[in-house]
Amino acid sequence: MMRAKLDPLAELRSDTAEMITRSIKEWAEKEVMPYRHEIDDNFEISERAMKKLFVDIGMQKLIVPESAGGAGVSFDELPPIVYHSFSEIGKADAGIGFVLSALVASSASAIGSEAFDFIVDRLSSSFCRISIMPPQFGNDDFRGFELAKAVEKGDKVRIKCYGRPLNSGFDADVFVVFCNYDGVSLALLDGEEVERGEIVKTAGLIASRNCDVKIRAEVEKSRIIKGDAWKRLEVYLNLCLSSLCVGSAMDSCRIVGDWAEKRFIRGKPLKDNTVDAEVLGEVAKEAIEANMAAQFLAKTMLEDRSDDEIHALSKITALKCSRAAFNVADRAMELMASQGYAREGLLEKQWRDTKSIAALLKQQHSLLELSERFFASKLWEG
Amino acid sequence: MEFARVREFESPLEKYLAEMIKDWGEKYVLPYRREFDEDWKEHRYVEPALEKLMVDYGFQIAVFPEEFGGWGFGNSDYFGSVTARLMEEIGRYDTGIAVSVGVTFWPLFMITVKPHVNYDLCAEFSQLFARKKLTIAANAMTEPQGGSDIENLDELKGKTIRTTAVLEGDEWVINGHKLWPTNTGGVADLFGVVCTTKPGEADEKHFTYIYVPATLPGVKQGEPYRKAGMAADKNSDIWFDNVRVPKYYRAWGEGLDAKYFREIITTGCLGSAAMALGAMENIYEILYEKCSELRYRGKPLKENTAVAAVLADIAAEIEVSRAAVYTYARMLDRPDIYGERYSAEMVARGRALKLKVCDVCCDVARKAVDLLSHYGIDRNFDIEKHWRDVKMIQLWMGGRQLCQMDVARHFYDCKQL
């Protein structure tokens, strides 16, 4: 077991966060942990657990105003709550956390816009999943990627695109589409406006059933969020995923820690052999570093910083935390060998899930964006 | 695109082997490969592919000397090169099938490879493998309490082995419990079992390698384990409960079993590295295609310098790995120049090869998944399958740590590891 814990920064402590974290712990113990071995084979388990988390505990209504039955969490309170709750969810099932990440990030991006009512209506009525449709591989009209085409048609906007959402394309009730309307904007679509393909089989994050989608829809202008909303979406998505990865890393540490105590080699527990202890040390370092980074991001989001600065920091944090969580699981697996690779050991699920998150964060492309910010690289000009 | 290979060292058989495996892989593996993960328990797709290769293409008997109907590659001057090529080419299609084939040959290497050909046992077991019926072998080494300690011969000398072999008259009586061997879970017809004649004793003369047909009373195989990948390779528990086999089923005898067992390590390391190499080559092929199709910044993905740099790193890793694999393979071909395959030096070189090539392979697969982002984790793109599968190659045979210790022992003359 990992003996040392990293207490959260003072700025991140709050009664609301603690209360939500307690609820999530209970949810994990009751709805996820007893079924964790079979959760990737039986989507009904994930579905049931998600409904409990999203609706009964109310995670889908964090930012919904109290008047509409939500928690009415403000921007001042949201980052600590996201950090605490997602790092707890990550210990149980990163896939479920991934689906929730898209919902929280999308709804945060809509705060203060005309589209907020649309989101609140969907989040208040029943169990809801939101899918993010990011720019796709294709032409170079947005930082190397292709945005959905948005063309004004009277008082509506016609949205057209084809490709693969980030998450939950098969199940989502709402789609948030990056489109080229007055710069980069977000278009909010009802799930019924989206044509969906077959479920894509993926390495991990099985709770997020995805598919290719085809969108040809006309939406009211009030459902377009302009300006820097897309950056806010990415910032919150990065915070959610970073915190999720922290939880996953902690869980992998717990699993390998238990193993290293019980497994004996040359008459000593594995952890007391230097070659294995060195790996354990690295694993602990990675997990704690990721935790520090996620906390720092959450804290920084409470400060008066520019959108661009926070956006870049969130990207760095998500890259750091996703890689760290994968490395922790990967190196822990090396110590546990076959037992780490076996489904029954549960480590391999964290390994697959965190690798999937790392891949979805588009590692190389993210580095180019950071180069643009910190070195003024002119990558997308001309 | 052909990666590095010293052509003048290519064996006469290799070209034909590669052509046969390509023919087989395109027809019987690729059309079904994406079904393998769900097929982990039943092997409805895996077994016919394996049967085609082993029975119809005739690979099953290949390792036996010619006089027993085999191809005699254990008796050739190209034993290492052929083994490597076989594993590389099958690994391109599926490393799970590669290990299943490799592990069928593995226990048989103890008795079919010169200079230690056991003609009595070849006569006995060649009949089994000459049948027109899929026949599979397994190497039962790992035990619950000691993991891969059994392979750690130089240090532990068989001290931790708990599976016992007791000689009663003309029969060995075997008792014990093994974990995780490839080709178990009901697959294997013949086991090569690592036992001890004196539990707790650190003396190689007590190390015993005995063949056990799977149908004998007292042999019980468990249900296959579910794993992250490597679905074509079934693994389970095996119990030996007062299993009786003839005395001559022991591979060689006191001291010699342990000595030749080290070849299990050298060939296992070579095979592991070669199949990892095959997986990397297939990853390269997929990346070549997908990075030409997908567009980023208005150009094919591969035409962007940041992407091209990663692709170059991957190609460089494969280039160097292939050179390393065949260098070692050629060293195993020529014990007259490089020393016996079971020597401490060749074991250490094999461990070094496996350590490095498996690390490289995991890294290549990881980078490939990252490059293709959401297509990288898509099972229809096949890269994530390799990523999951090749991790297992890195983990087996004692994983990185045992490789590191064997390498350090040899190259730094460590005495107390």
Side-chain angles (χ1 to χ4, degrees):
Chain A
M1 290 289 288
M2 274 186 84
R3 293 166 65 188
K5 284 201 315 189
L6 185 69
D7 287 331
L9 296 170
E11 294 88 336
L12 302 181
R13 292 181 193 142
S14 79
D15 291 342
T16 315
E18 271 186 29
M19 190 185 72
I20 292 174
T21 307
R22 268 201 306 276
S23 302
I24 292 172
K25 269 187 183 161
E26 285 170 18
W27 162 83
E29 279 168 21
K30 200 173 164 193
E31 303 294 335
V32 181
M33 300 316 247
Y35 313 104
R36 226 172 150 198
H37 288 110
E38 35 182 336
I39 204 163
D40 275 0
D41 297 319
N42 187 348
F43 183 70
E44 284 173 17
I45 298 172
S46 301
E47 180 97 340
R48 190 179 63 217
M50 279 192 281
K51 278 182 186 165
K52 293 269 183 192
L53 180 68
F54 287 33
V55 181
D56 296 357
I57 295 177
M59 289 303 288
Q60 78 176 39
K61 291 190 279 188
L62 278 181
I63 55 108
V64 170
E66 289 176 84
S67 56
V73 170
S74 68
F75 277 136
D76 292 342
E77 300 168 287
L78 195 52
I81 290 174
V82 165
Y83 163 74
H84 284 286
S85 52
F86 279 82
S87 52
E88 202 57 46
I89 296 167
K91 292 175 189 169
D93 190 295
I96 291 175
F98 185 67
V99 177
L100 185 62
S101 296
L103 183 146
V104 169
S106 300
S107 50
S109 73
I111 292 175
S113 74
E114 279 186 86
F116 190 58
D117 289 345
F118 173 82
I119 286 267
V120 166
D121 179 56
R122 296 298 186 281
L123 297 179
S124 308
S125 50
S126 58
F127 176 44
C128 179
R129 273 163 288 202
I130 299 181
S131 174
I132 296 171
M133 185 72 174
Q136 303 287 306
F137 281 114
N139 294 321
D140 184 17
D141 55 19
F142 176 61
R143 293 167 181 259
F145 290 99
E146 184 171 353
L147 290 161
K149 302 281 175 281
V151 180
E152 230 174 60
K153 197 181 173 198
D155 57 353
K156 291 193 171 181
V157 178
R158 181 181 286 167
I159 308 289
K160 191 175 154 191
C161 68
Y162 173 80
R164 186 164 300 177
L166 180 73
N167 67 294
S168 313
F170 191 78
D171 297 304
D173 308 282
V174 174
F175 283 78
V176 176
V177 182
F178 279 66
C179 63
N180 65 348
Y181 183 74
D182 198 10
V184 181
S185 297
L186 302 174
L188 271 53
L189 273 70
D190 200 284
E192 290 171 3
E193 295 167 314
V194 175
E195 193 180 318
R196 308 169 201 224
E198 290 181 5
I199 296 173
V200 176
K201 289 180 186 171
T202 52
L205 304 173
I206 305 300
S208 167
R209 294 198 299 189
N210 213 357
C211 64
D212 287 325
V213 300
K214 193 173 179 182
I215 296 173
R216 284 171 187 273
E218 287 181 6
V219 298
E220 294 85 20
K221 286 181 183 169
S222 62
R223 279 204 260 155
I224 307 282
I225 316 174
K226 295 196 282 190
D228 280 347
W230 67 271
K231 283 185 191 164
R232 194 192 293 163
L233 181 148
E234 288 194 346
V235 166
Y236 273 93
L237 184 66
N238 288 334
L239 177 62
C240 291
L241 296 181
S242 301
S243 309
L244 197 60
C245 288
V246 167
S248 168
M250 291 302 174
D251 188 53
S252 297
C253 282
R254 178 191 62 78
I255 293 169
V256 73
D258 286 349
W259 172 261
E261 277 190 356
K262 290 175 192 157
R263 187 74 173 172
F264 276 66
I265 183 164
R266 302 170 69 195
K268 292 186 285 191
L270 208 63
K271 65 177 185 172
D272 293 332
N273 286 279
T274 53
V275 64
D276 304 307
E278 185 266 341
V279 177
L280 290 171
E282 186 188 326
V283 155
K285 171 185 155 292
E286 289 262 25
I288 298 293
E289 277 178 0
N291 197 352
M292 287 160 59
Q295 290 195 33
F296 182 72
L297 173 62
K299 175 182 173 296
T300 310
M301 286 167 69
L302 298 172
E303 297 173 359
D304 186 21
R305 307 260 187 156
S306 74
D307 286 351
D308 281 345
E309 189 179 358
I310 297 283
H311 187 236
L313 181 62
S314 77
K315 206 167 272 293
I316 292 166
T317 310
L319 289 179
K320 168 75 197 165
C321 293
S322 61
R323 283 187 186 185
F326 170 70
N327 286 343
V328 168
D330 197 56
R331 298 237 59 198
M333 191 178 276
E334 287 166 16
L335 280 194
M336 295 177 69
S338 311
Q339 196 61 29
Y341 195 73
R343 284 274 181 115
E344 64 175 322
L346 295 176
L347 181 73
E348 69 83 39
K349 178 167 164 47
Q350 296 288 16
W351 181 70
R352 286 184 289 114
D353 285 347
T354 52
K355 180 64 198 170
S356 302
I357 292 174
L360 288 167
L361 285 168
K362 296 190 171 70
Q363 305 273 324
Q364 274 85 17
H365 174 77
S366 296
L367 294 179
L368 296 186
E369 290 193 322
L370 293 175
S371 176
E372 185 197 31
R373 168 158 180 82
F374 291 104
F375 296 94
S377 304
K378 299 188 187 327
L379 299 169
W380 292 286
E381 288 182 12
Chain B
M1 198 67 66
E2 176 86 18
F3 286 98
R5 185 79 203 284
V6 181
R7 290 273 174 84
E8 55 262 47
F9 293 158
E10 196 168 40
S11 73
L13 184 62
E14 274 180 68
K15 188 179 156 207
Y16 300 107
L17 269 182
E19 284 171 4
M20 285 166 78
I21 293 169
K22 186 172 168 47
D23 181 65
W24 161 81
E26 298 294 324
K27 285 183 189 159
Y28 304 106
V29 180
L30 281 191
Y32 312 104
R33 186 162 75 171
R34 288 174 193 157
E35 310 299 330
F36 284 5
D37 273 307
E38 274 73 25
D39 193 32
W40 66 277
K41 195 170 185 183
E42 305 294 332
H43 275 192
R44 281 171 297 138
Y45 296 96
V46 174
E47 195 176 310
L50 195 56
E51 187 169 24
K52 210 48 152 170
L53 183 73
M54 296 298 258
V55 181
D56 296 354
Y57 285 74
F59 280 79
Q60 192 164 277
I61 192 72
V63 72
F64 285 91
E66 286 96 329
E67 57 265 48
F68 299 103
W71 301 0
F73 76 70
N75 265 335
S76 75
D77 289 338
Y78 293 99
F79 169 68
S81 302
V82 168
T83 302
R85 191 65 183 265
L86 192 64
M87 291 296 100
E88 179 192 6
E89 296 300 334
I90 303 175
R92 275 179 199 260
Y93 294 98
D94 190 90
T95 46
I97 293 185
V99 70
S100 184
V101 172
V103 168
T104 293
F105 295 154
W106 216 18
L108 300 174
F109 285 162
M110 289 283 287
I111 54 169
T112 58
V113 178
K114 72 175 183 183
H116 47 83
V117 179
N118 183 325
Y119 288 91
D120 290 341
L121 289 181
C122 280
E124 179 95 5
F125 296 128
S126 60
Q127 296 172 39
L128 199 61
F129 289 88
R131 297 179 301 176
K132 290 290 174 197
K133 176 180 180 296
L134 181 62
T135 306
I136 296 292
N139 208 12
M141 302 191 292
T142 305
E143 296 184 347
Q145 78 292 340
S148 50
D149 276 352
I150 283 166
E151 292 173 48
N152 198 356
L153 260 180
D154 282 340
E155 186 201 345
L156 296 169
K157 301 187 184 308
K159 183 182 174 182
T160 62
I161 302 168
R162 292 198 186 162
T163 299
T164 56
V166 176
L167 194 59
E168 287 185 7
D170 282 341
E171 288 182 329
W172 288 105
V173 182
I174 298 167
N175 281 284
H177 177 196
K178 299 286 185 180
L179 290 178
W180 278 97
T182 279
N183 290 339
T184 50
V187 175
D189 301 279
L190 180 70
F191 295 107
V193 186
V194 173
C195 314
T196 178
T197 52
K198 199 165 186 184
E201 201 73 16
D203 188 334
E204 290 190 7
K205 73 179 183 190
H206 302 303
F207 183 100
T208 318
Y209 195 86
I210 299 177
Y211 292 93
V212 177
T215 49
L216 288 182
V219 177
K220 187 182 163 198
Q221 298 184 57
E223 287 288 302
Y225 313 133
R226 184 98 190 262
K227 313 186 297 279
M230 272 294 178
D233 165 25
K234 278 195 201 179
N235 316 89
S236 74
D237 295 62
I238 321 169
W239 292 269
F240 300 98
D241 183 14
N242 286 316
V243 179
R244 290 176 174 273
V245 297
K247 185 180 173 184
Y248 70 96
Y249 274 19
R250 180 172 185 174
W252 288 99
E254 277 190 9
L256 291 177
D257 282 357
K259 182 175 171 180
Y260 298 141
F261 179 78
R262 286 179 168 85
E263 277 193 24
I264 294 275
I265 310 299
T266 52
T267 52
C269 288
L270 174 66
S272 299
M275 68 182 80
L277 172 64
M280 283 194 276
E281 287 166 328
N282 189 230
I283 289 171
Y284 159 80
E285 289 158 2
I286 297 168
L287 281 179
Y288 189 104
E289 182 189 338
K290 300 300 176 191
C291 291
S292 302
E293 280 173 22
L294 292 171
R295 293 180 73 79
Y296 171 68
R297 301 184 63 201
K299 294 185 281 196
L301 205 51
K302 67 180 182 181
E303 302 292 351
N304 286 274
T305 52
V307 175
V310 179
L311 293 174
D313 285 348
I314 288 174
E317 301 279 31
I318 301 172
E319 179 81 350
V320 173
S321 297
R322 198 166 197 235
V325 164
Y326 282 96
T327 298
Y328 183 65
R330 199 66 192 125
M331 291 170 94
L332 293 188
D333 285 342
R334 299 295 303 271
D336 54 320
I337 301 173
Y338 300 103
E340 297 297 347
R341 297 180 189 114
Y342 47 77
S343 68
E345 179 182 337
M346 293 310 288
V347 169
R349 290 188 191 282
R351 292 288 198 192
L353 179 79
K354 178 180 181 287
L355 176 66
K356 187 62 193 170
V357 175
C358 288
D359 277 4
V360 161
C361 181
C362 289
D363 197 43
V364 160
R366 179 188 61 75
K367 283 177 181 161
V369 169
D370 284 344
L371 257 190
L372 295 182
S373 188
H374 55 260
Y375 296 116
I377 60 167
D378 183 338
R379 284 176 49 191
N380 285 328
F381 276 61
D382 296 323
I383 281 186
E384 70 80 40
K385 180 183 186 312
H386 283 305
W387 168 72
R388 282 183 290 117
D389 289 352
V390 299
K391 186 68 186 172
M392 186 69 202
I393 308 175
Q394 185 192 47
L395 300 177
W396 68 40
M397 291 184 69
R400 296 187 80 247
Q401 280 75 28
L402 186 51
C403 283
Q404 287 171 324
M405 293 308 105
D406 270 351
V407 171
R409 245 179 237 126
H410 175 72
F411 286 94
Y412 295 91
D413 203 22
C414 299
K415 304 287 187 203
Q416 299 173 57
L417 296 178

